[in-house]
Amino acid sequence: MGKGCITATKYLLFLFNLLFFIFGALIMGFGLWVLLDNQSFIAVLQESSTTLKVGSYILIGVGSLSMLMGFLGCIGAIYEIRCLLGLYFTCLLLILIAQVTAAVLIYFQRDLLKHEISSIVNKILVNYTGQNKTSEHAWDYLQRTIQCCGWTGPSNWTENVWIRNSTQILYPCSCRNASIPGTEVQETGLCQSLVHDWPVYTKGCISSVEDWLLSNCGVILGVCIGVAVIELLGMVLSMCLCKSVHQEVYTKVPKY
């Protein structure tokens, strides 16, 4: 490989690793969001699902490792250190294998995952009190935002302990359909209905969530494919540069 090609490969690999460092920061940020968010559907699942918590820690770990690899890859590319380039290639290969394995497991375990989510949501609906609980406020926020009621429909709320045992006709305030004339809309808690039919949305939240996933499926798939292509490109570039470096020159590395 000519000197010009080596230089081009070196700086292209440096640029790639800079992008990889940024991708790692985004993955770690997403993991932190999943772990700390308290105002979305994630918060509803987070309180009862150990799988989601483990997944968020895995995302944080993968993001941190990606940032470290991006840093080491930049050093290995600029200073042409073969051991760092080889280590970088190996770690990148392991991450790619892990990502493919995770995608396959999620695909084949999707029914089990859907069942687990349904169980978590139904448990929240049955024990809902409207008090200051993160999962309850998150579920109220979800119902208000995407204008849905219950998981499969409003009938899920009939299993709620307070609604079932009350002498009054109660319904979840966050399900209130603002287009139906009546009392002022409240954001949380249980409201009293003057008629037997609840003035609520008739669509279940599972339909809205599935619609969102389907409408954003192309974006999600594109991001996954893009990350995989970038990782493959990094592996190819690191191997090309590693082969072109015939001898380690550690004096190039700055000493602090």
Side-chain angles (χ1 to χ4, degrees), residues 56-234:
S56 63
Y57 286 121
I58 291 175
L59 286 173
I60 294 170
V62 169
S64 302
L65 180 61
S66 299
M67 291 176 68
L68 178 62
M69 285 177 54
F71 175 75
L72 294 177
C74 287
I75 299 297
I78 291 297
Y79 298 106
E80 300 178 10
I81 303 175
R82 295 187 69 183
C83 63
L84 283 182
L85 291 171
L87 178 63
Y88 173 77
F89 174 87
T90 304
C91 291
L92 205 56
L93 179 62
L94 291 175
I95 286 181
L96 185 60
I97 293 173
Q99 288 173 341
V100 172
T101 303
V104 171
L105 287 175
I106 290 172
Y107 178 79
F108 285 105
Q109 297 292 324
R110 61 188 185 280
D111 292 334
L112 181 62
L113 183 62
K114 187 176 180 180
H115 176 73
E116 182 182 357
I117 293 174
S118 298
S119 300
I120 293 169
V121 173
N122 287 328
K123 183 180 178 182
I124 292 171
L125 299 185
V126 168
N127 298 311
Y128 181 91
T129 61
Q131 296 176 353
N132 189 21
K133 291 180 64 178
T134 300
S135 59
E136 292 183 357
H137 281 302
W139 183 253
D140 285 331
Y141 176 80
L142 178 74
Q143 290 188 139
R144 290 195 313 271
T145 304
I146 61 178
Q147 299 181 345
C148 61
C149 189
W151 185 236
T152 58
S155 59
N156 296 139
W157 279 100
T158 59
E159 299 299 321
N160 177 266
V161 175
W162 289 85
I163 293 176
R164 194 173 63 239
N165 296 328
S166 176
T167 56
Q168 300 174 325
I169 301 176
L170 300 178
Y171 69 92
C173 300
S174 56
C175 283
R176 178 78 163 81
N177 190 340
S179 63
I180 300 176
T183 57
E184 184 181 353
V185 179
Q186 297 182 28
E187 293 189 347
T188 60
L190 299 174
C191 295
Q192 183 179 356
S193 176
L194 301 178
V195 294
H196 187 267
D197 294 330
W198 294 350
V200 298
Y201 299 110
T202 57
K203 187 177 182 180
C205 293
I206 185 174
S207 301
S208 300
V209 172
E210 288 177 345
D211 290 343
W212 182 88
L213 289 174
L214 287 174
S215 62
N216 293 277
C217 183
V219 176
I220 296 171
L221 186 61
V223 170
C224 293
I225 293 175
V227 170
V229 169
I230 289 175
E231 289 173 346
L232 287 172
L233 179 62

Side-chain angles (χ1 to χ4, degrees), residues 20-76:
F20 199 71
F21 182 88
I22 295 172
F23 271 121
L26 291 175
I27 292 172
M28 186 176 69
F30 180 71
L32 289 171
W33 173 72
V34 171
L35 189 65
L36 302 176
D37 180 64
N38 61 358
Q39 281 203 342
S40 70
F41 184 55
I42 297 295
V44 175
L45 305 178
Q46 191 183 83
E47 194 165 298
S48 304
S49 176
T50 55
T51 303
L52 189 65
K53 290 181 180 178
V54 171
S56 63
Y57 286 121
I58 291 175
L59 286 173
I60 294 170
V62 169
S64 302
L65 180 61
S66 299
M67 291 176 68
L68 178 62
M69 285 177 54
F71 175 75
L72 294 177
C74 287
I75 299 297

